[in-house]
Amino acid sequence: MKELPKTRRDFMKTTAAGAAGIILARPKILSAQASGAIRIEEPFHGAVLNRRHGKPVGGGLKIKVSGQSPLNGRVIVNGSPARRDGTKFTSEIILRQKQTEIAAVSENNFGRGEHRVQVIWDMHSQARYRFSIDDNSFFLRDIAKNNYASLFDCFYLKNLRGLHSKYGTRFVLNIYYTTEDGFELPQFPDRYKGEWQDNSDWLKLAFHAYANKPDCPYQNVPASKLMADFDRVAEQIIRFASEQTYSPPTVIHWGMVQPEALKPLYERGVRVLSGYFRRQGGVWDVNYLIDDVRSEYLSRHDALMDFESGIVFSRVDIVCNSTPVEGIIPTLEPLTKDPNQAEIMDIFTHEQYFWPFYSNYLPDHFKRLDVAIRWLTENGYKPVFFHEGFLGGRG
Ligand SMILES: [Zn+2]
């Protein structure tokens, strides 16, 4: 390089004007590092943070903020200078309210850069579990057909009540409008209303879908179709089981909806939706069609806030009907070692596997539930409903 180096400000002006010769005259790597964008890598935008992610300090939670920034100059995180180590920066902030915006600003001779993320503090966090059961319809048909004296003369509800008595477990049953063989919710009598109300502190009903078939009924249809089905089921639950028994859904059948459905779901009281957030055949599945980056994040975290809709996504931790008895503890136990997955256990199964007439009937299905719930109870997890407080946390 024969010519005297230009000032950095001049360099930026020149490159902005498109003088390619100047760029080539400088080591490429320097320009990449010096003018690269600042980016907060941790925490993730939408992260739900609890006591396991930081240090409780004076009514707040101190957490680490880290990321990448241009090599030179300084980085300010929420008003305080960050530590620098090459292109990496680290800082600490204290969360004091439920929602916090984190702004990282880089300033050097090339100019100013900024990246913002928002995070949620799960301030009433405690180790907890939520049990939800999908695809429910047969037990309602059974009760209506047999005209039992009590809801709990149906073996399915009787066994769920048994688990509740033993462990205090709370259940949300996501139901269909019809079994598609002539039974529909309007046929279910309202004479059990008092019994539903008496048990509504642990047993809730929620919308799941219009029917078991077709598969993925809400994946490729307008949100209005989902909302119409939602309203039909919700109206029936309130008619025959009361407001106290009604819960917003925990899972929409197959865990897939159009993105524009999230806001109307929020408006109907949905605050949390569970999914698998798993990759199958090269695509992310049972993920409410959210983007790949967030799906991957959720595949290894308890929860993530979608600020656009206000809905928190929760990763299902175990599907009892697809986990044999001997696989239950080995599935749950490793999660307790991972701070990103230890606090909230999203426990899940499907109704049909309880019924002897079902082709894939599991005679040990209740045993599986017992093993999972006993283990959770012994390990200090408290039963909650995700729609009470934030993700079932206190307060
Ligand atoms: Zn389903």
Side-chain angles (χ1 to χ4, degrees), residues 39-86:
R39 184 144 196 93
I40 298 169
E41 292 173 333
E42 295 230 13
F44 193 85
H45 180 58
V48 174
L49 304 171
N50 61 51
R51 61 201 171 106
R52 299 176 198 251
H53 295 106
K55 218 159 96 190
V57 282
L61 184 75
K62 190 192 264 190
I63 60 155
K64 199 173 136 185
V65 178
S66 64
Q68 296 288 329
S69 67
L71 189 58
N72 300 308
R74 59 183 202 150
V75 171
I76 306 289
V77 175
N78 283 15
S80 300
R83 285 183 297 281
R84 302 298 312 272
D85 180 9

Side-chain angles (χ1 to χ4, degrees), residues 217-229:
Y218 305 113
Q219 185 165 345
N220 297 307
V221 300
S224 56
K225 164 72 177 143
L226 167 59
M227 297 315 143
D229 289 353

Side-chain angles (χ1 to χ4, degrees), residues 134-136 174 176 208-209 211-212 217 251-255 348-350 352:
D134 268 9
D135 298 1
N136 283 277
N174 295 313
Y176 296 141
H208 188 50
N212 191 48
V251 182
I252 304 295
H253 198 28
W254 290 85
F348 182 66
T349 202
H350 294 84
Q352 55 268 49

Side-chain angles (χ1 to χ4, degrees), residues 171-192:
F171 292 97
V172 184
L173 312 181
N174 295 313
I175 70 173
Y176 296 141
Y177 187 81
T178 175
T179 49
E180 292 178 291
D181 58 357
F183 174 75
E184 294 185 345
L185 293 183
Q187 296 162 29
F188 194 89
D190 62 4
R191 68 188 190 88
Y192 303 102

Side-chain angles (χ1 to χ4, degrees), residues 83-358:
R83 285 183 297 281
R84 302 298 312 272
D85 180 9
T87 57
K88 193 173 165 64
F89 71 87
T90 50
S91 185
E92 284 178 330
I93 61 158
I94 298 174
L95 306 179
R96 298 208 177 270
Q97 58 268 317
K98 186 180 172 194
Q99 190 170 327
T100 300
E101 184 174 70
I102 306 170
V105 176
S106 66
E107 284 171 336
N108 62 22
N109 291 339
F110 292 99
R112 186 179 183 278
E114 182 180 288
H115 185 218
R116 288 171 186 268
V117 300
Q118 288 184 75
V119 297
I120 297 292
W121 177 27
D122 177 11
M123 65 175 82
H124 302 294
S125 158
Q126 59 175 333
R128 56 205 193 261
Y129 72 98
R130 191 282 306 277
F131 210 118
S132 99
I133 307 181
D134 268 9
D135 298 1
N136 283 277
S137 63
F138 298 137
F139 83 95
L140 292 165
R141 183 183 66 183
D142 180 66
I143 294 164
K145 206 164 78 183
N146 290 294
N147 199 25
Y148 296 129
S150 159
L151 291 173
F152 301 100
D153 289 339
C154 167
F155 87 100
Y156 175 64
L157 291 187
K158 184 181 168 203
N159 278 287
L160 294 183
R161 188 175 64 177
L163 290 165
H164 166 71
S165 310
K166 220 164 148 185
Y167 304 112
T169 313
R170 296 167 173 197
F171 292 97
V172 184
L173 312 181
N174 295 313
I175 70 173
Y176 296 141
Y177 187 81
T178 175
T179 49
E180 292 178 291
D181 58 357
F183 174 75
E184 294 185 345
L185 293 183
Q187 296 162 29
F188 194 89
D190 62 4
R191 68 188 190 88
Y192 303 102
K193 208 172 197 170
E195 211 172 16
W196 287 114
Q197 284 171 318
D198 290 346
N199 290 278
S200 60
D201 60 324
W202 69 272
L203 183 63
K204 304 268 190 208
L205 300 177
F207 163 77
H208 188 50
Y210 180 76
N212 191 48
K213 292 288 175 185
D215 292 349
C216 310
Y218 305 113
Q219 185 165 345
N220 297 307
V221 300
S224 56
K225 164 72 177 143
L226 167 59
M227 297 315 143
D229 289 353
F230 184 120
D231 292 343
R232 286 176 88 170
V233 172
E235 184 193 350
Q236 289 299 318
I237 294 171
I238 290 161
R239 176 191 64 81
F240 71 74
S242 83
E243 283 275 1
Q244 292 103 296
T245 298
Y246 173 80
S247 162
T250 67
V251 182
I252 304 295
H253 198 28
W254 290 85
M256 292 296 220
V257 301
Q258 285 293 304
E260 71 264 21
L262 295 176
K263 268 187 190 156
L265 286 168
Y266 181 89
E267 283 158 15
R268 282 163 172 78
V270 177
R271 295 293 177 271
V272 187
L273 285 173
S274 303
Y276 295 167
F277 306 96
R278 67 179 179 196
R279 208 166 140 84
Q280 261 191 336
V283 291
W284 289 95
D285 193 19
V286 197
N287 70 337
Y288 297 89
L289 297 175
I290 65 167
D291 60 79
D292 290 1
V293 175
R294 291 191 297 162
S295 297
E296 192 280 331
Y297 177 88
L298 269 160
S299 72
R300 53 193 173 83
H301 288 81
D302 276 332
L304 181 72
M305 168 64 89
D306 174 58
F307 287 108
E308 223 168 282
S309 64
I311 290 176
V312 174
F313 293 108
S314 167
R315 192 187 83 97
V316 168
D317 290 298
I318 190 169
V319 183
C320 294
N321 60 265
S322 48
T323 312
V325 167
E326 64 277 12
I328 286 171
I329 296 170
T331 301
L332 296 175
E333 216 258 333
L335 300 174
T336 65
K337 307 276 188 285
D338 176 359
N340 294 320
Q341 301 191 75
E343 193 79 334
I344 305 167
M345 293 293 183
D346 193 328
I347 312 297
F348 182 66
T349 202
H350 294 84
E351 188 213 18
Q352 55 268 49
Y353 298 87
F354 289 106
W355 292 90
F357 60 77
Y358 181 62

